[in-house]
Amino acid sequence: SQQGEEDPQALSIQEGENATMNCSYKTSINNLQWYRQNSGRGLVHLILIRSNEREKHSGRLRVTLDTSKKSSSLLITASRAADTASYFCATDKAGTALIFGKGTTLSVSS
Amino acid sequence: NAGVTQTPKFRVLKTGQSMTLLCAQDMNHEYMYWYRQDPGMGLRLIHYSVGEGTTAKGEVPDGYNVSRLKKQNFLLGLESAAPSQTSVYFCASSYLPQGGDGYTFGSGTRLTVV
């Protein structure tokens, strides 16, 4: 099935460092989205990038999309302990719903 | 400003019992979805609805039924629960099809089948 796969599966950094996670997908998309999930909570929508966009910013988040490589990256700058969470990419599948990857678990220590 | 509300939050069932999970949204969203989340598996789509009175199967529909009698509610039923259905269930909704404006998620229902 069309699915985003995040890389790495887990990432540990210090506060103040940047965190980069990647997502690869298999087939063409209309848009790609990133979500955050804090432990024991529901997912929260972070940012959406459309297939005709190459880069998008939202606060400390920067998302890039390379449709030729079928990949996206999420950069969180100046990470904080509160950024500790799992991050998922999701791609749209025509006629149905979003397909989610398995996520990257980010741990930010102070 | 409730968003998406799921009830119950926790439930323990015995094998063979039935139950219904309720998802309610107050954003007038047309599209609603049920996912399950298992360790190491990410989120998998069970069923979804593109409007009141319509439902469709997702990736893992077996053992589940759904109904969308009212626009604001999307019910997920387990007719005869099995241990393999132990999972965390998330409901989501969106204004645009295929979540084109992003999903709003509920806080989840943690179900254990013993």
Side-chain angles (χ1 to χ4, degrees):
Chain A
S1 64
Q2 176 182 325
Q3 182 180 37
E5 291 288 344
E6 294 89 344
D7 172 66
Q9 288 187 333
L11 180 61
S12 293
I13 60 173
Q14 299 285 321
E15 265 193 329
E17 295 181 336
N18 295 342
T20 300
M21 51 204 86
N22 304 295
C23 171
S24 59
Y25 57 93
K26 297 177 182 177
T27 60
S28 61
I29 59 173
N30 293 313
N31 66 72
L32 185 144
Q33 304 178 29
W34 287 90
Y35 289 79
R36 183 188 74 234
Q37 183 181 35
N38 291 92
S39 181
R41 309 292 293 273
L43 283 74
V44 174
H45 181 255
L46 293 177
I47 195 165
L48 180 153
I49 186 165
R50 303 196 185 283
S51 59
N52 61 352
E53 297 176 311
R54 291 297 168 258
E55 187 170 312
K56 201 162 184 180
H57 296 256
S58 177
R60 294 183 295 110
L61 304 181
R62 172 179 169 252
V63 170
T64 61
L65 180 64
D66 187 336
T67 53
S68 67
K69 295 182 179 179
K70 293 186 171 57
S71 67
S72 172
S73 67
L74 171 67
L75 168 68
I76 304 173
T77 60
S79 295
R80 306 165 181 168
D83 295 325
T84 294
S86 293
Y87 293 82
F88 296 86
C89 69
T91 52
D92 61 329
K93 184 174 183 179
T96 59
L98 292 178
I99 306 297
F100 288 82
K102 296 179 181 179
T104 292
T105 299
L106 173 66
S107 177
V108 182
S109 55
S110 55
Chain B
N1 217 18
V4 177
T5 302
Q6 291 185 235
T7 53
K9 295 191 184 307
F10 303 93
R11 184 75 186 267
V12 178
L13 281 181
K14 293 183 178 179
T15 298
Q17 287 184 321
S18 64
M19 78 164 294
T20 300
L21 284 68
L22 172 64
C23 176
Q25 52 95 4
D26 62 359
M27 298 168 287
N28 201 35
H29 283 173
E30 202 70 42
Y31 304 88
M32 297 186 74
Y33 317 85
W34 276 107
Y35 289 83
R36 60 178 288 174
Q37 184 177 33
D38 302 293
M41 298 293 292
L43 278 80
R44 292 183 291 169
L45 181 67
I46 305 172
H47 286 278
Y48 63 100
S49 170
V50 300
E52 181 178 316
T54 70
T55 63
K57 295 179 180 180
E59 181 186 355
V60 288
D62 294 342
Y64 306 95
N65 56 75
V66 288
S67 64
R68 182 103 182 265
L69 299 179
K70 293 183 178 180
K71 186 176 183 178
Q72 63 267 35
N73 296 336
F74 194 26
L75 278 62
L76 177 71
L78 285 74
E79 291 184 344
S80 180
S84 61
Q85 294 177 304
T86 293
S87 187
V88 181
Y89 292 86
F90 287 101
C91 175
S93 69
S94 66
Y95 182 71
L96 295 178
Q98 294 118 53
D101 54 331
Y103 281 179
T104 300
F105 275 90
S107 57
T109 294
R110 186 173 295 274
L111 175 67
T112 302
V113 182
V114 298

